[in-house]
Amino acid sequence: MQTKVAIIGAGPAGLLLGRLLEKAGVDTVILERRSQDYVLGRIRAGVLEQGTVELLDKAGVGERLHADGLVHDGVEFCFDGDRHRFDFRALIGRTVTVYGQTEVTRDLMQAREASGATTIYEAENVSLHGFDGDRPSVRYVKDGVEHEIACDFITGCDGYHGVARASVPERAIRTFERVYPFGWLGILVDRPPVAEELIYAHHARGFALCSMRSHSRSRYYVQVPADEKVEEWSDDRFWDELRRRVDQETADHLVTGPSIEKSVAPLRSFVAEPLRFGRLFLAGDAAHIVPPTGAKGLNLAASDVGALAEALVEFYAERSAAGIDGYSARVLSRIWKAERFSWWMTSILHTFPETDAFSRRIQRAEFDYLRSSDAAARSLAENYTGLPL
Ligand code: RFL
Ligand code: PHB
């Protein structure tokens, strides 16, 4: 088999890249280790920046998103029971849209299927070859048979545990990492959300988040130790803990019900540099991880592949390598700003094992500053709704 761009991974990064390239007439093959149902079964991000919505529109998959997505003008922070709303639209004229990663993935998969482009699910033992020369290729095993795809470029959109970044020689790559000593226990429930907008809560017992997927489906999280076992959390235990961490009004209005999904996600900050190695590019979680506190993971993946698609289309249309040469530096500048914002949101909202009385006062001062200063609130608003590339 032969293609222009071989894409490893059918998460949002790989599928969106595939769609943007197909729309520009650049053919692609996507190789995915898991089944289509498995990919669709993963419950992950829920908040889309305006720039992500614009990219999904450009990719021609905005219809359901505009019909079913919930446009949010702001978010609320709750500090030890005191709530404050940040109105992004009033502060900077921007908004975010609540639309689950599962739905984004479904829309992209359907569009790809309709276009007839090739996606190989359950591709085993994917390996990358020759990306330091002119004739890269990708090999994989499907149903016990080995196949090879010759291509012009390989893109690693295969997430944090993928094969693409691991194929780069150690001396050519530098990584930066911070692992947090806690995770988020999340539940999904078919009950209306407690509030119209998201509530990020700081409490001495730990962080909590009230989020949603629609008017009838809610997503809630509580901070737990990194090694927490999900089996130790009955639904009742979860609801009791959540109620303790939010303000009284929120606790009183919470509509509880049986969870339809419950899992613990670890929190990590990670960046690899650079993101181009000859004819291999990294994008999305393969290139970086942010803790979910700033709602940036999916959005960063989208902005990476938006830039990568532009660069590759320019290469084919104008025979110019300027875009692909500049890709790594261009996206890393935005990635580090999103890393900073996600780290900062994480540090002010969570309880750290080493948090002493001084740190607690500093966290409180951050909240008091944010709610009393227009400049601070605008800074939060522009970061949360997404910085320009
Ligand atoms: P993905 O979504 O991980 O997709 C990568 C795809 O590559 C496949 N793959 C391979 N395919 C072929 N060969 C191999 N050797 C392969 N190895 C892996 C995988 O099966 C997968 O289908 O990365 P992508 O596309 O870069 O998208 C990034 C986003 O998914 C991610 O940033 C966010 O979901 C992060 N994230 C969250 N972000 C938020 O903003 N809010 C959240 O609530 C939130 N929750 C989460 C998350 C990430 C999680 N992970 C990765 C542990 C919860 C979890 C559990
Ligand atoms: C979610 O709804 O899953 C969600 C929302 C906001 C975040 C993280 C996760 O910051």
Side-chain angles (χ1 to χ4, degrees), residues 287-330:
H288 44 72
I289 295 288
V290 283
T293 328
K296 291 279 163 262
L298 171 58
N299 291 298
L300 265 188
S303 76
D304 288 357
V305 300
L308 186 51
E310 258 176 41
L312 289 168
V313 169
E314 183 183 307
F315 176 86
Y316 286 108
E318 298 167 27
R319 287 280 141 204
S320 159
I324 57 174
D325 288 345
Y327 166 74
S328 181
R330 184 178 180 212

Side-chain angles (χ1 to χ4, degrees), residues 68-286:
D68 298 347
L70 309 175
V71 175
H72 282 195
D73 288 355
V75 297
E76 295 199 68
F77 277 19
C78 174
F79 249 74
D80 300 328
D82 286 346
R83 254 164 75 182
H84 183 84
R85 176 167 185 262
F86 297 94
D87 185 333
F88 301 149
R89 195 191 286 275
L91 285 161
I92 57 158
R94 293 179 75 80
T95 59
V96 291
T97 300
V98 169
Y99 190 68
Q101 178 167 335
T102 314
E103 304 312 316
V104 172
T105 308
R106 194 189 312 278
D107 295 343
L108 286 164
M109 279 178 175
Q110 278 172 3
R112 186 167 178 89
E113 235 165 81
S115 78
T118 309
T119 311
I120 295 150
Y121 288 96
E122 297 175 271
E124 295 166 60
N125 299 340
V126 171
S127 59
L128 289 66
H129 306 272
F131 55 80
D132 50 351
D134 286 341
R135 300 164 72 95
S137 66
V138 180
R139 289 184 208 142
Y140 65 98
V141 173
K142 172 84 184 171
D143 300 327
V145 181
E146 189 169 24
H147 301 267
E148 177 159 1
I149 304 174
C151 54
D152 298 337
F153 296 102
I154 306 174
T155 58
C157 300
D158 50 349
Y160 180 69
H161 299 287
V163 64
R165 195 182 66 249
S167 306
V168 175
E170 235 172 80
R171 63 188 146 70
I173 193 166
R174 189 162 176 213
T175 59
F176 304 82
E177 185 168 41
R178 175 154 305 179
V179 178
Y180 301 88
F182 43 74
W184 283 14
L185 171 66
I187 67 166
L188 192 65
V189 56
D190 272 327
R191 291 289 184 273
V194 66
E196 276 184 25
E197 292 175 341
L198 272 62
I199 303 172
Y200 289 86
H202 168 93
H203 189 273
R205 293 181 68 90
F207 169 79
L209 171 62
C210 305
S211 182
M212 68 197 72
R213 289 293 174 273
S214 67
H215 290 305
S216 58
R217 182 170 281 191
S218 314
R219 179 83 166 148
Y220 296 99
Y221 297 95
V222 294
Q223 174 189 346
V224 293
D227 54 1
E228 194 76 340
K229 300 269 173 298
V230 71
E231 304 78 49
E232 283 166 24
W233 285 81
S234 66
D235 289 355
D236 284 344
R237 182 177 173 203
F238 183 93
W239 294 121
D240 286 346
E241 189 58 40
L242 179 62
R243 277 197 207 91
R244 286 197 190 104
R245 296 184 187 189
V246 294
D247 60 291
Q248 195 60 50
E249 193 196 341
T250 305
D252 291 344
H253 284 89
L254 204 61
V255 191
T256 63
S259 61
I260 52 174
E261 197 264 357
K262 196 189 283 164
S263 53
V264 179
L267 265 69
R268 180 192 303 274
S269 296
F270 172 87
V271 183
E273 292 183 358
L275 299 178
R276 180 204 178 176
F277 311 90
R279 287 179 169 255
L280 166 66
F281 300 91
L282 301 181
D285 277 14

